[in-house]
Amino acid sequence: MVEPLYEISVKCTYCDNSFKSMKVRPSFKKASKTDADFCVHYKDINPDYYVVRICPYCGYAHTENFSDKWKPAQREAFNEKVTKNWSRRSYSGERTWDETVQSYKLALLSAQIKEEKSRVIAGLLHHLAWLYRSKGDWEQEKRFLTFALEAYIHVYENEGMDLNNARLMYLMGELNRRLGRYNEAVKWFSRIINDRKIMDAAMIRASREQWTITREDMMAIRMELPEEMKQAT
């Protein structure tokens, strides 16, 4: 019988040691639904659990999106903050939810020390929010959605020209909506709908749908407000 996980060999760019990491076979990636912020829910095994590769020798955690280059100052900082305190352990087997959260937080620390691009950091933060969503932990999900939104805004302001702007703008709208920042959400969705330079039909359609949902959310909150507060808004 074919196992859902298979081994790959990875070479650590920090300490040059090779180690094993796991991946999920494509045939086992079965989605049950996808949320409006692109969080995919899987039926059996979640491939996101195995995105982060962790070197058992030095503690360097990374994904395929990390750069291979290290500056001397980054090496020194990583040694001080991670490797010096690292006790050798392996993440090459099947991962629990707790181990997965730990792996993403370790990758986040590695990314910050290595000064990876904001889009890489935003992706890690967003994935952490999804992991907490899968547990129904709204407080932690909200915390990481807030961090992810800040990182996406930084991406838009500094790297926006190189990326699919429509998708990025849509994500900023959707994360604002989920965080209850409805006016900001409407602003981003409206920009996508009204910008004639944006040709991404899927993102325009999604923005229209989420714009409508956001307006409904706003109306629902207005209906719940006491009469004197309605007049003030």
Side-chain angles (χ1 to χ4, degrees):
M1 188 177 154
V2 179
E3 291 293 320
L5 297 175
Y6 68 97
E7 265 188 357
I8 58 165
S9 189
V10 182
K11 187 169 183 182
C12 178
T13 59
Y14 178 77
C15 69
D16 287 334
N17 281 303
S18 292
F19 62 94
K20 302 291 183 196
S21 194
M22 305 302 269
K23 281 186 90 166
V24 176
R25 292 183 198 281
S27 58
F28 284 86
K29 295 178 185 178
K30 292 173 183 164
S32 56
K33 66 167 184 168
T34 304
D35 295 339
D37 65 341
F38 310 126
C39 172
V40 181
H41 297 259
Y42 292 92
K43 285 177 184 167
D44 303 311
I45 190 161
N46 187 342
D48 287 352
Y49 277 34
Y50 303 95
V51 164
V52 177
R53 293 102 177 257
I54 304 168
C55 176
Y57 303 98
C58 67
Y60 176 51
H62 70 287
T63 71
E64 288 179 345
N65 298 322
F66 280 48
S67 88
D68 291 339
K69 295 181 176 65
W70 288 83
K71 293 175 185 167
Q74 292 166 355
R75 283 186 169 279
E76 203 174 308
F78 188 81
N79 183 52
E80 281 298 316
K81 291 178 182 171
V82 180
T83 305
K84 265 189 179 179
N85 309 305
W86 182 254
S87 52
R88 185 172 164 176
R89 54 193 180 275
S90 174
Y91 286 82
S92 65
E94 199 172 322
R95 288 181 190 169
T96 62
W97 181 88
D98 288 308
E99 285 169 340
T100 303
V101 168
Q102 203 178 3
S103 75
Y104 274 95
K105 287 181 176 176
L106 201 51
L108 186 59
L109 177 61
S110 297
Q112 288 164 339
I113 292 168
K114 264 191 96 223
E115 299 165 313
E116 291 290 341
K117 285 188 160 71
S118 295
R119 71 185 100 160
V120 173
I121 290 169
L124 294 169
L125 291 164
H126 203 172
H127 273 79
L128 277 160
W130 292 345
L131 285 166
Y132 284 110
R133 184 180 305 168
S134 74
K135 281 285 187 206
D137 186 339
W138 168 239
E139 281 307 308
Q140 286 299 321
E141 180 192 340
K142 181 169 75 171
R143 182 168 163 251
F144 281 100
L145 283 178
T146 305
F147 292 149
L149 176 58
E150 288 166 7
Y152 282 129
I153 290 166
H154 192 266
V155 174
Y156 182 78
E157 289 171 349
N158 296 280
E159 303 174 40
M161 299 304 289
D162 308 327
L163 303 170
N164 176 346
N165 257 355
R167 185 182 169 96
L168 185 56
M169 289 160 73
Y170 167 82
L171 263 180
M172 290 191 286
E174 179 57 19
L175 295 201
N176 273 301
R177 186 190 75 78
R178 286 174 178 269
L179 292 165
R181 303 172 185 179
Y182 299 126
N183 290 326
E184 277 296 300
V186 164
K187 184 181 87 177
W188 287 109
F189 293 140
S190 299
R191 282 177 70 174
I192 297 164
I193 295 162
N194 298 318
D195 189 340
R196 294 186 181 279
K197 293 195 291 293
I198 292 175
M199 309 299 282
D200 188 329
M203 286 299 99
I204 294 167
R205 186 170 60 250
S207 296
R208 283 206 177 97
E209 288 167 6
Q210 296 312 101
W211 184 88
T212 304
I213 289 168
T214 307
R215 300 295 293 186
E216 287 167 1
D217 291 343
M218 290 168 86
M219 288 302 293
I221 283 177
R222 269 186 70 82
M223 296 299 284
E224 289 167 12
L225 289 173
E227 203 55 47
E228 62 273 15
M229 287 185 73
K230 281 185 194 174
Q231 288 163 7
T233 56

